[in-house]
Amino acid sequence: MKRLLVSILFMCWMPYVNAEETRTPLTEPIVIESNEVFDGDGEMYTSCGHPAFILRGTGAVLEHVSVQQCEGDDIPAVQVSGLGHQLIDVSIESSGTGLLIENSYGVRVIRTSIQGNGQADGIVLLNSEASELKGVVAKEVRDGIYIENGSRHKIVRPIVSHSRYGIHLMFPTDVVISVPELHHNLTGAMIMGTDRVTFQNGNVHDQFGGTATGLMLYEAVDTIIEMTHIYGNHIGLYAEQSEGTILERNAINGNDIGFQLKQASGMMILRNNLLGNREPVTMFKSSENVVQGNVWGGTTLDLNRDGYSEIPFRTDPYLFLLTDSYEAFELLYGSPGLLLLENILRSPEDVSLTDGSPQTDSAIWHWNGSIWSVGSIFLLIIIWIFGRKRHEIV
C-alpha cells in the first residue's frame, strides 16, 4: 500500500512535458486537385524555394495545416487558381506572399492567419471574382489584404495590424468589407480606383507614422463608409479625386484631422460624430457635397429642441491651402492666430463646406426615479453597513 501511494505521488508531481510540434519538410509542393480534400490535422509543413501547397482545378479543400517558409523566400507559401476552392483554419509564417489567389472564382478563405516579416503581402487576389475572406488575421506584412482588379469580393471580420496598408484595393468593383479591425498600420485601408465599395461596422484606429491615415480614398467612385469608428489617427479619412462617396453614421473622434477632402465632389456626409478631433475637417476644391446632421461640436443653438442646431457649421479651405503647401502648419491647427486669419480671409461660399442643420452635442440628464426608490437604496446601504458581522480582535 505504501509503495502504491508513493507511485501515485510520483506520477502526480512528475512535470508535464509538451511534445515537440511535428514538422514535415517538403521537397516539392503538395498539389491538391479537383474535389480533393487535404486535412493536415494540425501538422506543420516547411517549404524552401517553392510553395508548400498548390490548389488547382475545381473544389479543392485545404484545412487544419500550418505552413512555415524558409527565411528569404520571395514566392507564395500557398498558391491557388481555379474555381470554388476552400482554405479553412490555415496558419502561415511567411517571408514571401502568404497566400496568392490568381485567376480564380468563388474561392473561400476561412479563419486563416498570416505572420510575415514586413517584406511581402499577406493575402493577394489578382484578377479573381467572387472571393470570400472570413476571419482573416494578418500581422507584420506589407499589405494585409491586397486586391487588384476583379469584382464581387466579400471580406468579413479581417484583423490586420503592424503593416503598411491593412487593406489595399486597386481597381476592383463591388467589394464589401464588413466588421474590419485595422490598427497600428501606416494606413488602415487604401481604396484606389474602385467602383462601388462598401466599408461598414469597422474599427480603424491608432495608425502610426508620418501619414497615419485611417481610410484613404483616391479616385474612388460610389464608396459607402458607414457605422465605422475611426479614431486615434493623424487623419481619420482622406478623400482625393473621389466622387459619389457616402459617409454616414460614423464616429470619427480623437484624430488630428477628422476629414481631409481634396477635389472630392458629390459626397454625402450625413449624421457623423466628429467630436474630439483637433480639426474636424479641412477641404480644398471640393464642391457639390451634401452635408447634414453631423455632430461637430462648438456653438449650438437648438431653439425647437429637435436635436439640430439652428447655427450652421461652416468649414473654410483656408487652412487646407496653407497645409497643402506647408505641412508644418498642421501643428498650428486650432491656434488663435490661424482661427483669426480664417475668419478674416473667408473663402467664397461655393468652395466652403457647410452643414446647415448640425446635430447638437449637449447631453440632458433625466431622472426617472422617485423619493421612495432613493429612500430604499439608502436604507439598504445602512443595513449593509451596520448589519455586517464585526469581529473584534481580543
Side-chain angles (χ1 to χ4, degrees):
M1 185 65 179
K2 186 176 181 181
R3 290 181 179 178
L4 180 61
L5 290 173
V6 170
S7 300
I8 293 173
L9 288 172
F10 180 78
M11 293 176 64
C12 292
W13 285 98
M14 188 169 59
Y16 177 77
V17 179
N18 288 320
E20 290 188 5
E21 185 177 23
T22 304
R23 294 175 183 268
T24 302
L26 300 175
T27 57
E28 61 182 16
I30 296 176
V31 179
I32 309 173
E33 301 281 1
S34 294
N35 301 318
E36 292 181 350
V37 177
F38 187 97
D39 189 338
D41 196 24
E43 191 170 350
M44 169 75 76
Y45 294 86
T46 60
S47 65
C48 298
H50 57 80
F53 293 92
I54 296 177
L55 281 69
R56 62 193 184 195
T58 303
V61 178
L62 174 64
E63 58 184 347
H64 306 128
V65 300
S66 297
V67 176
Q68 186 178 57
Q69 272 191 311
C70 291
E71 188 175 351
D73 274 6
D74 57 357
I75 57 176
V78 178
Q79 190 170 323
V80 178
S81 62
L83 308 176
H85 303 305
Q86 295 189 74
L87 293 89
I88 304 170
D89 295 320
V90 176
S91 176
I92 301 172
E93 295 180 25
S94 63
S95 56
T97 298
L99 171 60
L100 173 63
I101 302 171
E102 189 173 13
N103 300 319
S104 297
Y105 182 92
V107 172
R108 300 180 72 216
V109 181
I110 301 173
R111 296 186 301 274
T112 292
S113 64
I114 299 173
Q115 171 70 54
N117 60 4
Q119 301 302 311
D121 300 328
I123 296 178
V124 174
L125 281 81
L126 300 179
N127 304 313
S128 297
E129 304 288 329
S131 300
E132 185 176 3
L133 311 180
K134 280 188 173 182
V136 169
V137 178
K139 186 176 182 181
E140 294 179 355
V141 294
R142 184 171 57 189
D143 296 344
I145 299 170
Y146 176 80
I147 300 178
E148 185 174 323
N149 299 323
S151 65
R152 291 181 291 161
H153 300 299
K154 292 183 179 180
I155 306 173
V156 182
R157 296 188 183 278
I159 302 174
V160 185
S161 65
H162 301 88
S163 304
R164 182 183 68 167
Y165 298 147
I167 297 174
H168 189 179
L169 306 182
M170 293 285 286
F171 317 118
T173 61
D174 298 293
V175 178
V176 177
I177 304 170
S178 299
V179 203
E181 180 75 27
L182 310 175
H183 64 92
H184 294 93
N185 306 290
L186 294 178
T187 295
M190 162 66 89
I191 301 172
M192 180 175 179
T194 58
D195 198 349
R196 297 183 301 276
V197 171
T198 298
F199 191 103
Q200 58 191 8
N201 297 308
N203 283 297
V204 184
H205 61 94
D206 296 310
Q207 317 310 321
F208 67 92
T211 54
T213 303
L215 300 179
M216 183 177 292
L217 278 61
Y218 185 77
E219 295 184 349
V221 178
D222 294 339
T223 306
I224 299 174
I225 300 172
E226 60 183 357
M227 293 182 289
T228 292
H229 194 185
I230 304 172
Y231 61 95
N233 311 286
H234 174 52
I235 300 173
L237 182 141
Y238 178 85
E240 182 174 352
Q241 299 182 38
S242 296
E243 299 178 359
T245 305
I246 298 175
L247 309 173
E248 188 170 7
R249 292 179 291 173
N250 300 289
I252 304 177
N253 316 119
N255 307 282
D256 291 333
I257 304 169
F259 293 146
Q260 191 165 80
L261 312 178
K262 185 175 183 180
Q263 296 177 328
S265 60
M267 302 181 74
M268 298 184 70
I269 304 175
L270 310 172
R271 294 180 290 173
N272 300 283
N273 186 317
L274 286 110
L275 293 176
N277 304 292
R278 289 183 61 192
E279 189 73 22
V281 59
T282 59
M283 48 82 67
F284 175 60
K285 291 185 179 179
S286 299
S287 58
E288 300 179 0
N289 297 305
V290 177
V291 186
Q292 188 172 4
N294 302 280
V295 180
W296 304 96
T299 304
T300 59
L301 181 64
D302 184 7
L303 294 176
N304 55 7
R305 297 191 177 183
D306 62 350
Y308 294 92
S309 174
E310 275 67 48
I311 300 177
F313 177 88
R314 182 181 186 274
T315 185
D316 195 290
Y318 177 73
L319 289 179
F320 195 107
L321 289 170
L322 287 177
T323 56
D324 194 48
S325 302
Y326 307 99
E327 293 184 1
F329 274 103
E330 290 184 1
L331 299 174
L332 301 177
Y333 277 152
S335 65
L338 284 184
L339 291 176
L340 179 62
L341 287 175
E342 184 179 6
N343 288 320
I344 295 175
L345 304 175
R346 292 174 67 86
S347 301
E349 293 292 336
D350 57 346
V351 297
S352 299
L353 198 68
T354 301
D355 188 335
S357 56
Q359 290 189 55
T360 57
D361 59 341
S362 58
I364 300 175
W365 292 87
H366 296 280
W367 169 252
N368 294 321
S370 63
I371 297 176
W372 169 249
S373 61
V374 174
S376 300
I377 295 172
F378 186 67
L379 181 60
L380 288 174
I381 293 173
I382 292 176
I383 292 173
W384 181 79
I385 293 174
F386 293 99
R388 292 182 302 166
K389 291 184 178 180
R390 299 176 180 271
H391 300 282
E392 294 183 359
I393 301 175
V394 180

